[in-house]
Amino acid sequence: MTPEQLSDVIVSALARLADDGRLTLPEALPTQVLVERPKVKEHGDYATNIALQLAKKAGRPPRDLATDLAAELVAHEGIDAAEVAGPGFLNLRVAAGAQGALALDVLAAGADYGRGDVYAGQKVNLEFVSANPTGPIHIGGVRWAAVGDSLGRLLEFVGADVTREYYFNDHGAQIDRFARSLLASARGQEAPEDGYGGQYIHDIAAEVVAKRPDAAGLGDDEAVEAFRAEGVELMFAEIKSSLHDFGVDFDVYFHENDLHASGAVDRAIAKLDELGKMYEKDGARWLRTSDYGDDKDRVVIKSDGDPAYISGDLAYYLDKRGRGFDRCLIMLGADHHGYKSRMMAMCAAFGDEPGVNLELLIGQMVNLLRDGQPLRMSKRAGTVVTLEDLVDAIGVDASRYALARYSTDSNIDLDLDLWASASSDNPVYYVQYAHARLSSILRNAADLGAEVDTDSFDPALLATPQEGDLLRALAEFPRVVARAAELREPHRVARYLEDTASAFHKFYDVCRVLPQGDEDVTDTHRARLVLIAATRQVFANGLGLLGVSAPERM
């Protein structure tokens, strides 16, 4: 029995109280009831405060209402006990048979167990990474690759139609500095003072020369353009390849330059003019962002006629909404905190709802430690730690899990020695080992002729405290997934998997799953094998949402 199923049982009990006049409310009965796991295990399997919530509206003392509700609940075959506690809380104990039946539900759903529909019918544009194509992806961008891809998987799992989008910044001063740095390398000169360094610059410059032997000998302006065109294409191809190897692919690569070339900026400004949100001052054109919570109005077209940076944001957001996206999620680095108020003001100026039509997620810094000391730069990039550095140190699975395991609001200090270790102290090893151990048990069972048999499964045989704890952990998975998607927090799935791995190991230490010696296979063995198979399925589903493999052997 999942918390959602228990909620339905409580709603039905409330309806029976209403039918016989013991519960009268000025409004309709609730269609859902919050059911939680008690902090104190002895208080029961689940608890609810619904009697406290409804008592005042119903004109009844909370404990009296809770007592009537408890009597209705214990009449249900799936409820062993319903105890009134404190001012009107209800502590509930689920019957072993009802709890054990969850294992069948998990196996019947398979890879879809935990899937929901909270965002069904909604089109979501998820923009993440979007690193400038001026160098390899640094560790901050790698964090967004892991978190963004996991968030996309979560949103899809709860019904959203997700488009993963990479905003390709091929317009502006950074690209010019990149091109001049490549040209300097090709000519054997020092990099410009404001340019880029690192071995990758020399590698790409050499590739450009191999493709265009004449490029370095052209006039300065023509040479910079040649190295810009070829160099950006080569750098971006490398970025896409690195992300693909990391398990991250995008549906759309949107070129910033297209916004200016296609007239999208002019269309966005015209739309805001039509809405009365623009004005002129000091020869420039301004957007009234201060009307929507920004600290000041923003220049959109400068006095010299050139578009300001926000003009591209206006055009890009309107383009996304024009493509039919209900929600636009943008994942940004820690240096973008001041960016949030103007973006939300922009959203409101278009008549949309900030936080709904547009969401900004700000991620904090990542620090890598080796031998207890900060790892500060890449051998190849020269100035930053890159995606390849992290993967070389601990592998793709550990990298993705480690970066998705923490709230994006927090800084991360990743101990590379820990995350590379094959020990239970390493969270990803601990979780993957649980899946591998579950797979091993099922293989050993098959060798003994004890297959997973759902037809003869008796859920009431899963009656030990450890079996109950493990089943209740499995029952939480759909709720964890929905919450992680709604709050944009994939780390909730990782922490859930670690807690469930702990529940599994405690179960396995106490409950013998396979017969020993000449012992016959009993119905209890068979019931536990069904539980083992269900647990493995939940681990596979959870790891899949994080983009991490579920190994069968380790």
Side-chain angles (χ1 to χ4, degrees):
M1 181 179 289
T2 66
E4 292 75 21
Q5 291 167 336
L6 183 54
S7 169
D8 292 341
V9 171
I10 297 171
V11 168
S12 297
L14 290 170
R16 290 194 295 274
L17 292 179
D19 289 343
D20 64 16
R22 286 181 289 166
L23 176 62
T24 303
L25 295 173
E27 56 209 29
L29 288 170
T31 58
Q32 287 184 322
V33 171
L34 178 62
V35 176
E36 298 182 300
R37 300 275 295 277
K39 292 181 179 178
V40 179
K41 194 173 181 180
E42 288 70 27
H43 288 175
D45 300 329
Y46 296 100
T48 179
N49 66 350
I50 188 63
L52 286 164
Q53 292 179 20
L54 298 181
K56 185 175 181 180
K57 298 175 185 176
R60 297 193 58 190
R63 281 188 64 90
D64 287 356
L65 178 55
T67 299
D68 283 350
L69 181 56
E72 289 292 331
L73 290 172
V74 294
H76 189 282
E77 63 180 1
I79 307 295
D80 266 354
E83 302 164 355
V84 180
F89 293 101
L90 268 177
N91 293 331
L92 308 173
R93 297 182 189 278
V94 178
Q99 192 72 77
L102 173 79
L104 283 184
D105 294 341
V106 173
L107 292 181
D112 287 331
Y113 179 66
R115 191 177 292 277
D117 59 2
V118 66
Y119 286 122
Q122 294 198 36
K123 290 188 65 177
V124 176
N125 183 285
L126 179 60
E127 182 198 335
F128 60 106
V129 183
S130 296
N132 290 328
T134 55
I137 298 177
H138 62 75
I139 192 64
V142 183
R143 183 179 194 179
W144 277 141
V147 175
D149 188 62
S150 296
L151 180 55
R153 292 166 187 254
L154 275 166
L155 290 169
E156 288 172 336
F157 208 62
V158 295
D161 177 5
V162 178
T163 294
R164 293 164 175 80
E165 187 148 321
Y166 189 117
Y167 187 54
F168 182 18
N169 186 339
D170 54 354
H171 182 91
Q174 289 179 318
I175 298 296
D176 291 337
R177 292 200 298 271
F178 174 66
R180 287 189 283 106
S181 300
L182 294 176
L183 177 58
S185 174
R187 288 176 171 175
Q189 300 169 351
E190 290 292 323
E193 188 174 333
D194 61 349
Y196 294 92
Q199 182 59 42
Y200 79 96
I201 288 290
H202 303 303
D203 294 341
I204 292 176
E207 288 188 62
V208 173
V209 171
K211 290 182 69 176
R212 292 279 308 272
D214 64 321
L218 298 171
D220 287 351
D221 290 345
E222 194 176 353
V224 167
E225 177 56 30
F227 276 87
R228 187 202 66 79
E230 297 289 350
V232 166
E233 183 178 326
L234 288 167
M235 188 72 256
F236 197 54
E238 182 177 315
I239 289 172
K240 290 167 72 173
S241 176
S242 296
L243 288 169
H244 176 77
D245 292 343
F246 197 60
V248 178
D249 293 293
F250 290 85
D251 303 301
V252 174
Y253 293 95
F254 193 99
H255 290 254
E256 181 187 10
N257 201 48
D258 291 346
L259 293 172
H260 300 272
S262 68
V265 170
D266 294 336
R267 289 192 294 274
I269 293 172
K271 175 71 173 177
L272 291 167
D273 265 331
E274 181 185 323
L275 293 169
K277 310 301 182 184
M278 299 287 296
Y279 67 93
E280 294 192 17
K281 187 180 77 171
D282 300 331
R285 305 209 63 201
W286 299 69
L287 176 61
R288 301 180 190 276
T289 49
S290 62
D291 289 353
Y292 303 99
D294 198 4
D295 58 349
K296 61 182 180 181
D297 290 345
R298 302 288 172 175
V299 173
V300 177
I301 300 295
K302 295 182 286 189
S303 56
D304 61 5
D306 289 338
Y309 188 81
I310 195 175
S311 66
D313 293 329
L314 298 172
Y316 191 30
Y317 175 71
L318 193 62
D319 178 89
K320 287 179 179 179
R321 294 287 280 138
R323 283 185 271 151
F325 292 108
D326 306 296
R327 294 176 178 269
C328 303
L329 273 64
I330 306 175
M331 309 180 84
L332 298 169
D335 56 343
H336 284 77
H337 276 287
Y339 193 61
K340 194 166 187 175
S341 60
R342 77 186 70 171
M343 290 293 285
M344 290 306 173
M346 171 201 76
C347 171
F350 278 119
D352 286 345
E353 185 176 353
V356 175
N357 301 115
L358 176 64
E359 293 180 59
L360 300 185
L361 304 180
I362 307 293
Q364 297 305 313
M365 303 296 290
V366 181
N367 302 305
L368 302 186
L369 306 177
R370 173 168 277 154
D371 300 324
Q373 298 300 314
L375 188 66
R376 299 200 178 278
M377 62 180 65
S378 165
K379 291 180 181 178
R380 181 165 180 261
T383 55
V384 295
V385 178
T386 69
L387 186 159
E388 285 78 9
D389 295 325
L390 182 61
V391 170
D392 287 346
I394 63 175
V396 171
D397 277 348
S399 298
R400 288 191 60 129
Y401 191 98
L403 292 168
R405 184 179 183 261
Y406 301 91
S407 168
T408 56
D409 292 335
S410 62
N411 291 327
I412 307 177
D413 289 328
L414 292 187
D415 184 335
L416 297 179
D417 299 316
L418 169 67
W419 286 94
S421 68
S423 77
S424 59
D425 292 331
N426 177 352
V428 70
Y429 181 88
Y430 185 62
V431 171
Q432 288 183 313
Y433 178 72
H435 184 273
R437 192 177 193 184
L438 289 156
S439 301
S440 175
I441 293 168
L442 293 173
R443 286 195 302 272
N444 292 337
D447 291 342
L448 295 172
E451 301 286 348
V452 175
D453 183 359
T454 56
D455 292 333
S456 63
F457 172 60
D458 182 356
L461 293 174
L462 301 175
T464 68
Q466 293 78 15
E467 287 164 330
D469 288 344
L470 181 54
L471 283 160
R472 282 184 288 278
L474 303 187
E476 285 293 317
F477 183 63
R479 186 154 64 176
V480 169
V481 168
R483 197 72 175 144
E486 289 172 342
L487 295 177
R488 319 303 189 225
E489 294 181 343
H491 72 272
R492 289 174 176 265
V493 176
R495 298 310 176 100
Y496 163 83
L497 290 173
E498 291 163 37
D499 290 343
T500 304
S502 176
F504 160 64
H505 290 306
K506 290 175 182 176
F507 151 78
Y508 193 66
D509 288 344
V510 173
C511 300
R512 190 144 42 84
V513 177
L514 301 177
Q516 293 185 334
D518 296 331
E519 184 182 3
D520 291 333
V521 178
T522 67
D523 288 342
T524 299
H525 292 131
R526 294 187 183 94
R528 287 173 177 169
L529 281 174
V530 171
L531 177 55
I532 290 291
T535 304
R536 183 177 72 160
Q537 184 66 65
V538 170
F539 275 104
N541 291 3
L543 286 166
L545 289 172
L546 298 175
V548 175
S549 70
E552 299 205 353
R553 289 180 170 83
M554 288 182 70

